[in-house]
C-alpha cells in the first residue's frame, strides 16, 4: 500500500521518543522492555539533488514478549520536500503522521518474538539539497499492559507507560 500523508498529522508522537536508549544501564528486571528490537535501515549512499531516497526500515523483535503497540518511522533529512513524503506498508490500517521532518506510523499488527515488521519510506530531496543528508529511523515500542491497548498515546504518556526507542542513523551524500 502506498500512501501520501495528510497535511495534518494523524498520529501525534514526540520525535524525541526514538532517541531513547533500549534500557538504562542500571535497569532492573522490572524496567526491562517487553520487546527489544534489532533495527536495520537501508538507503542509497548517493543521490542527485532533487532525487528520491527510499528508506527500508526492518525491525526484528528479539523478545522476550510480543509487541503490539509500536510506531515505525523517525526523522528525515533537512533538505526534503515535505509535500513529497510517502510510505509503503503491507499491513492494512497503518496510520502515519508527519510532524515537521518526523514521520511515525502506527502499524496494527502483533510482532511475535523472532518476527520482523518492515516499511518503506520514500522522500524527495529539494533541488537545493547539498552535502550529506542524515536520517534517524527505527521503532518506538510501548510496554502496554493487557486492557490498555485501546488507550491513546497521550493517555499512555500521562500514565507514564514505559517507551523504548531503537534507531539507526543513515547518511546519503548528494551528488552534483
Amino acid at each position: 500500500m502506498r500512501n501520501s500523508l495528510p497535511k495534518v498529522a494523524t498520529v501525534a508522537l514526540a520525535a524525541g521518543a526514538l532517541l531513547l536508549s533500549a534500557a538504562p544501564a542500571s535497569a532492573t528486571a522490572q524496567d526491562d522492555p517487553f520487546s527489544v528490537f534489532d533495527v536495520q535501515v537501508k538507503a542509497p549512499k548517493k543521490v542527485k539533488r532533487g532525487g528520491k531516497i527510499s528508506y527500508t526500515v526492518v525491525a526484528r523483535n528479539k523478545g522476550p514478549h510480543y509487541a503490539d503497540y509500536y510506531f515505525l518511522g523517525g526523522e528525515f533529512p533537512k533538505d526534503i520536500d515535505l509535500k513529497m513524503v510517502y510510505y509503503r506498508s503491507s499491513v492494512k490500517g497503518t496510520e502515519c503522521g508527519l510532524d515537521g521532518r518526523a514521520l511515525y506510523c502506527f502499524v496494527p499488527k502483533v510482532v511475535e518474538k523472532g518476527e520482523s515488521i518492515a516499511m518503506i519510506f520514500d522522500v524527495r530531496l529539494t533541488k537545493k539539497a547539498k552535502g550529506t543528508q542524515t536520517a534517524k529511523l527505527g521503532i518506538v515500542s510501548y510496554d502496554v499492559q493487557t486492557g490498555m491497548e485501546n488507550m491513546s498515546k497521550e493517555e499512555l504518556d500521562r500514565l507514564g507507560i514505559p517507551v523504548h526507542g531503537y534507531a539507526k542513523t543513515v547518511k546519503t551524500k548528494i551528488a552534483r
Side-chain angles (χ1 to χ4, degrees):
M1 178 181 302
R2 181 176 170 91
N3 293 298
S4 62
L5 296 168
K7 290 185 181 183
V8 177
T10 58
V11 179
L13 251 186
L18 196 53
L19 304 177
L20 298 174
S21 64
S26 62
T28 63
Q30 66 189 17
D31 294 327
D32 289 344
F34 286 0
S35 300
V36 174
F37 284 89
D38 178 40
V39 173
Q40 300 299 317
V41 180
K42 292 183 184 176
K45 300 281 184 207
K46 277 187 169 182
V47 173
K48 291 183 180 182
R49 291 179 183 176
K52 181 177 95 172
I53 302 177
S54 287
Y55 297 99
T56 301
V57 179
V58 179
R60 186 175 65 83
N61 183 358
K62 295 177 12 179
H65 303 286
Y66 66 84
D68 61 352
Y69 202 93
Y70 56 90
F71 297 86
L72 285 167
E75 189 167 335
F76 292 107
K78 63 181 178 175
D79 288 328
I80 64 166
D81 180 348
L82 293 174
K83 295 177 185 169
M84 300 296 290
V85 177
Y86 300 92
Y87 66 93
R88 290 184 266 168
S89 173
S90 62
V91 180
K92 186 176 180 173
T94 297
E95 293 182 35
C96 297
L98 186 64
D99 183 15
R101 293 184 294 124
L103 171 73
Y104 289 94
C105 299
F106 175 75
V107 183
K109 179 182 188 297
V110 173
V111 182
E112 299 289 344
K113 179 181 175 184
E115 291 182 345
S116 297
I117 187 76
M119 283 190 73
I120 298 172
F121 301 100
D122 296 317
V123 299
R124 175 125 358 237
L125 293 168
T126 65
K127 299 267 186 206
K128 296 178 182 178
K130 60 183 177 181
T132 300
Q133 299 292 310
T134 303
K136 189 166 189 173
L137 304 168
I139 189 166
V140 176
S141 177
Y142 281 82
D143 292 349
V144 175
Q145 301 284 340
T146 302
M148 300 176 96
E149 51 278 331
N150 292 325
M151 296 177 86
S152 71
K153 180 237 180 264
E154 290 77 15
E155 186 66 9
L156 293 172
D157 287 343
R158 187 186 71 72
L159 292 172
I161 302 303
V163 60
H164 309 278
Y166 307 89
K168 296 284 183 182
T169 299
V170 291
K171 296 183 178 194
T172 301
K173 290 185 181 184
I174 305 305
R176 294 183 185 240

